[in-house]
Amino acid sequence: MSENPLLQPFKTPHGTVPFDQVKNEYYLPALKEAMTMGRKEIDAIVNNPAAPTFENTIVALERAGEMVSRVSSVMFNLNSAETSPDLQKIVREASPLLTEYGNDITLNEKLFKRVKTVYDQRNQLKLDGEDRMLLEKSYKSFARNGANLKEADKEKFRAINKELSQASLQFGENVLNETNEYVLEITDEKDLAGLPEFAREAARATAKQKGKTGWVFTLQAPSYQPFMTYADSRELRKKLFVAYNSRGFHSDKNDNQQLIGKMVQLRYDRANLLGYKTHADFILEESMAGSPEKVKQFLSELAGYAKPVAQKQLAELTRYAKENGFKDERLERWDFGYYSEKLKKEKYALDDEILKPYFKLENVIEGVFTVANKLYGLTFKERKDIPVYNPEVKTYEVFDQDGTFLAVFYGDYFPRAGKRSGAWMNDIQGQKIEKGVNVRPHVVNVCNFTRPTETKPSLLTFNEVTTLFHEFGHGLHGMLANGKYESLSGTSVYRDFVELPSQVMENWCYDPEALKLFAKHYQTGEVIPNDMIEKIRASQNFMAGMSNLTQLRYGLVDMYWHGNAPHGETVEQVESKVDSLVNLFPKVPGTAFSPAFSHIFAGGYSAGYYSYKWSEVLDADAFEFFKEKGLSSREVAGKFRKNVLEKGGTEKPMELYKKFRGREPSPQAMLRRSGLTL
């Protein structure tokens, strides 16, 4: 163990993970040793002869198991961003061990008794707000994880958690396998008609990488999206669409249908065991929304606004398609992106081919750094000597306006076979104050953007630009964290509040002043012209009704899976019920999105996908405050930093929002911005 780098002090800049020294064979031994240490720390709390106090029980519990958190954080981060069959096998073995470790803590009767003793005295204790929140969260953590159950039910609870952790891992692996295994190989150049040069060049590079001739398209977003948007071949668009939307739905080794049924049933059984009606009731108790009924009402009301707008937009798009040679009665899903892009170009003289030259990745990164500097006074300095888990990863030191070190930031931007699809932010090290020292966070943004080619740098689509700003907003929530306790710090907030910092950052992608900071032609250095900025702003709500319906469809399916008692319904039956409310397209046989819906079955958004729309209400309302005072207003940015970004989960979200805004949020700002009024 003395040679295992995961268990030693990290002798690296800012104590960053020595990825260059970490090998797969180190994880399990390190984790087992860390759990032994963690159990000893728990035993010390339980066997303390002194009466339970906030310090010797609640704070001691918060500090216990720090080595377990360190090892598991490194392992799970890599399993998402740089996995391999070996690492997946290790994680499958480690996951039930970690589940058991967590269960051993929350189901420890003597430990819970000490926690409850302190909790019952809470009104007599002289605690500040952050201490009170930690006490409340600690008590609820036990209660919501089976501490009040009878012994026989505790064993059922353990078994359910163990099965769920394994099923969730398997679900994610199956989606990754399906994504990696499919290729659309094109050898006849006529089949590339309509595709811009950037898409063709990327497909040539992919073919070369895979040892094939011609052009290869994959189910990775930078390959899939341009094909669906530009390819003239309707037949091939359909082929790729069906491949993408049937991942995990083939009744083969990567099938996720039975896993969904199993996970939904297990989550429901666990909620019942804890005294909740459904999994959604259990999850939403700890949310701003508060209940499934409130979420369903919220989504239904939004659908009421979005559906008529979407119907009008789809009718307009159908007319346009027919005027331009479309022969069928109605558009199919694989037609939507293609014809909407053509209509958008006709309406606004704008498309990704025109915009991409202005969005060189390095410039966009510099741009988001500059926006963070203007708002919060932050500066970013690249470091070449911080170890990384892949040569493509960039690392930066982050400093406050007074030169104080704030964080380490990792940027990982390109798709790889070992990286799951999508984009996300993680902490590799969380923020806390320990022994008077403010331990600063190490934050990673992981994305899957368009790669450089042999002739061009990485040029982003506008959607990729907004994604980068979105994930950076999450990053700021982590980097600016300033609390006493890691479990309340940074993004450790209610799920329907966590998207506020990320979504509010997207607004600067449409701001002329911000765009001119980074949108510069990669060849000429020309700043993006004013008329192009106006077109971007004018097209912001293009097909907003349709895109809102898509998001609502995901949210409603999530609530259907988790807000009802399971009745053994198939994936197709569940999706059909939701589609009757919010889907304007015909059913496509052999496709379903639930079997690849990693957010809710392999991530942390079960009964929480609605939070993207919920947070839109918050972010649109928050951004109107910036607009009132000026988009670079240090006054408003300072309030947002102080009351949202720094506070994490130290107070209830609505209280934090009201301290920032001076009132509760109004949904009208979101409806105005999204154009959800006829």
Side-chain angles (χ1 to χ4, degrees):
M1 290 301 167
S2 62
E3 295 179 3
N4 192 322
L6 288 167
L7 296 173
Q8 310 308 315
F10 293 162
K11 296 175 181 177
T12 48
H14 305 296
T16 46
V17 179
F19 288 112
D20 53 340
Q21 298 172 33
V22 176
K23 299 175 183 175
N24 282 346
E25 59 261 33
Y26 292 148
Y27 287 116
L28 283 173
L31 198 57
K32 288 173 183 176
E33 177 66 18
M35 287 190 285
T36 298
M37 295 162 62
R39 287 188 168 97
K40 285 179 182 175
E41 290 162 349
I42 295 297
D43 288 344
I45 300 170
V46 170
N47 298 321
N48 189 338
T53 66
F54 180 75
E55 285 294 329
N56 74 17
T57 300
I58 305 303
V59 175
L61 179 60
E62 168 75 8
R63 305 296 189 214
E66 288 183 349
M67 192 60 77
V68 176
S69 298
R70 177 209 265 196
V71 177
S72 58
S73 174
V74 175
M75 181 179 69
F76 283 114
N77 267 284
L78 260 66
N79 194 47
S80 294
E82 186 76 0
T83 198
S84 64
D86 282 348
L87 183 54
Q88 288 174 337
K89 184 180 176 184
I90 290 163
V91 172
R92 280 197 296 273
E93 190 174 340
S95 190
L97 297 177
L98 284 163
T99 301
E100 195 66 19
Y101 173 80
N103 287 338
D104 285 346
I105 294 172
T106 54
L107 299 177
N108 185 318
E109 285 186 33
K110 291 181 180 178
L111 181 60
F112 179 51
K113 188 177 179 181
R114 289 185 70 94
V115 171
K116 190 175 186 303
T117 298
V118 181
Y119 182 73
D120 289 344
Q121 299 168 355
R122 63 193 180 280
N123 294 328
Q124 286 75 52
L125 301 175
K126 293 180 180 178
L127 302 177
D128 65 23
E130 201 166 342
D131 292 344
R132 282 198 303 273
M133 184 62 80
L134 180 68
L135 177 55
E136 181 183 327
K137 185 171 181 176
S138 299
Y139 175 77
K140 281 186 174 180
S141 175
F142 280 85
R144 288 169 58 81
N145 282 285
N148 288 315
L149 296 176
K150 294 174 183 175
E151 201 54 45
D153 286 341
K154 285 182 179 179
E155 290 310 308
K156 289 181 188 174
F157 186 83
R158 284 177 182 272
I160 288 172
N161 279 347
K162 196 170 183 177
E163 279 195 83
L164 275 171
S165 69
Q166 291 170 320
S168 179
L169 281 172
Q170 189 62 55
F171 186 99
E173 286 181 19
N174 289 347
V175 175
L176 184 63
N177 291 340
E178 291 270 85
T179 303
N180 286 339
E181 287 171 11
Y182 182 86
V183 295
L184 174 63
E185 190 175 357
I186 292 177
T187 54
D188 188 342
E189 193 165 1
K190 290 200 295 290
D191 290 332
L192 301 175
L195 285 166
E197 182 52 37
F198 75 81
R200 296 178 183 224
E201 191 171 4
R204 271 198 301 271
T206 303
K208 188 175 178 182
Q209 176 201 338
K210 293 182 178 293
K212 297 182 181 293
T213 56
W215 301 263
V216 165
F217 294 87
T218 71
L219 301 183
Q220 295 281 3
S223 180
Y224 175 78
Q225 293 294 351
F227 197 91
M228 297 305 299
T229 303
Y230 296 109
D232 289 342
S233 172
R234 192 179 186 217
E235 182 184 344
L236 289 177
R237 289 201 313 271
K238 177 181 179 181
K239 187 175 182 179
L240 201 60
F241 172 88
V242 170
Y244 186 86
N245 290 280
S246 61
R247 290 175 299 163
F249 195 53
H250 293 123
S251 301
D252 59 7
K253 62 182 172 57
N254 292 323
D255 189 74
N256 276 335
Q257 294 173 83
Q258 289 187 341
L259 272 180
I260 288 173
K262 179 180 180 179
M263 292 176 75
V264 167
Q265 185 67 53
L266 286 169
R267 286 169 173 172
Y268 177 77
D269 292 344
R270 181 175 61 183
N272 283 181
L273 207 55
L274 294 170
Y276 296 89
K277 186 179 173 184
T278 67
H279 178 68
D281 287 276
F282 168 67
I283 292 293
L284 294 169
E285 181 183 67
E286 294 289 283
S287 71
M288 291 183 78
S291 71
E293 291 70 33
K294 185 85 176 280
V295 170
K296 290 172 184 175
Q297 180 187 0
F298 170 71
L299 294 174
S300 296
E301 285 180 2
L302 276 188
Y305 285 109
K307 192 169 183 178
V309 176
Q311 287 169 326
K312 184 179 177 183
Q313 290 170 346
L314 185 58
E316 179 191 14
L317 188 64
T318 304
R319 283 195 302 273
Y320 171 80
K322 288 182 176 179
E323 289 165 5
N324 286 273
F326 184 72
K327 304 295 184 189
D328 287 10
E329 183 59 29
R330 58 189 297 177
L331 295 173
E332 298 279 358
R333 286 187 176 277
W334 51 87
D335 300 315
F336 178 73
Y338 177 74
Y339 283 107
S340 60
E341 187 67 18
K342 287 187 176 303
L343 178 57
K344 181 180 175 182
K345 187 172 183 180
E346 186 167 301
K347 274 189 163 188
Y348 306 105
L350 197 69
D351 65 8
D352 279 330
E353 195 169 11
I354 295 168
L355 288 176
K356 277 170 70 84
Y358 291 93
F359 295 127
K360 181 181 173 183
L361 172 63
E362 290 78 5
N363 291 348
V364 180
I365 294 169
E366 192 59 40
V368 82
F369 288 171
T370 305
V371 170
N373 176 264
K374 285 181 172 293
L375 293 173
Y376 308 113
L378 308 186
T379 54
F380 295 77
K381 178 185 175 186
E382 186 172 359
R383 289 281 297 251
K384 303 282 191 181
D385 57 341
I386 291 176
V388 291
Y389 54 85
N390 185 286
E392 294 178 336
V393 179
K394 306 278 189 189
T395 58
Y396 304 86
E397 291 175 308
V398 187
F399 298 97
D400 210 342
Q401 53 193 352
D402 63 359
T404 305
F405 170 74
L406 278 178
V408 173
F409 177 67
Y410 297 78
D412 180 3
Y413 296 109
F414 301 122
R416 297 184 293 271
K419 184 194 282 192
R420 67 177 169 88
S421 58
W424 63 94
M425 167 267 182
N426 271 333
D427 284 329
I428 296 178
Q429 173 177 290
Q431 181 272 332
K432 62 189 172 187
I433 296 174
E434 197 165 45
K435 297 176 182 175
V437 176
N438 195 328
V439 178
R440 298 310 303 166
H442 302 167
V443 170
V444 57
N445 272 180
V446 187
C447 303
N448 283 277
F449 293 153
T450 305
R451 280 189 167 279
T453 65
E454 291 180 356
T455 61
K456 294 186 183 70
S458 173
L459 302 175
L460 305 188
T461 65
F462 189 72
N463 184 57
E464 289 175 328
V465 173
T466 59
T467 298
L468 189 148
F469 271 69
H470 177 103
E471 296 307 331
F472 190 79
H474 282 309
L476 287 173
H477 206 179
M479 288 183 266
L480 293 174
N482 198 28
K484 287 193 279 188
Y485 307 113
E486 187 173 351
S487 66
L488 301 177
S489 180
T491 57
S492 300
V493 299
Y494 285 172
R495 180 59 68 197
D496 51 9
F497 191 62
V498 78
E499 295 299 332
L500 168 60
S502 56
Q503 291 183 187
V504 82
M505 274 302 290
E506 293 182 36
N507 289 284
W508 274 270
C509 299
Y510 297 90
D511 171 44
E513 185 184 336
L515 278 168
K516 289 186 176 185
L517 294 172
F518 64 88
K520 299 172 182 176
H521 198 284
Y522 80 101
Q523 289 173 311
T524 66
E526 174 203 14
V527 175
I528 190 168
N530 289 328
D531 67 324
M532 205 173 286
I533 293 175
E534 287 311 307
K535 289 170 185 176
I536 290 172
R537 289 160 63 84
S539 65
Q540 185 175 1
N541 288 334
F542 180 68
M543 293 292 156
M546 294 295 292
S547 60
N548 270 277
L549 272 197
T550 298
Q551 285 290 91
L552 293 169
R553 185 175 178 233
Y554 293 149
L556 287 166
V557 163
D558 175 27
M559 289 308 297
Y560 196 95
W561 282 124
H562 296 115
N564 301 291
H567 297 299
E569 292 167 296
T570 66
V571 165
E572 289 176 295
Q573 287 170 331
V574 168
E575 293 189 8
S576 292
K577 287 185 177 179
V578 170
D579 283 352
S580 66
L581 302 173
V582 290
N583 182 23
L584 303 183
F585 289 104
K587 166 70 181 166
V588 181
T591 68
F593 66 88
S594 292
F597 199 172
S598 295
H599 269 79
I600 67 170
F601 292 117
Y605 279 79
S606 62
Y609 197 84
Y610 77 93
S611 61
Y612 285 98
K613 301 310 295 179
W614 186 275
S615 293
E616 263 188 61
V617 171
L618 301 177
D619 106 69
D621 188 70
F623 191 64
E624 287 208 344
F625 194 22
F626 276 98
K627 287 197 288 187
E628 288 167 19
K629 302 286 188 178
L631 295 188
S632 297
S633 167
R634 281 288 181 94
E635 176 198 350
V636 180
K639 285 185 176 182
F640 193 70
R641 175 176 177 169
K642 179 183 176 183
N643 296 300
V644 177
L645 298 176
E646 290 185 356
K647 292 293 186 184
T650 57
E651 293 181 49
K652 299 288 185 186
M654 189 58 81
E655 294 309 308
L656 291 175
Y657 190 85
K658 286 193 291 188
K659 285 181 180 179
F660 158 65
R661 189 68 165 101
R663 58 165 174 76
E664 291 195 1
S666 163
Q668 294 307 311
M670 190 273 281
L671 294 173
R672 281 193 296 273
R673 187 181 68 185
S674 298
L676 296 184
T677 49
L678 286 169

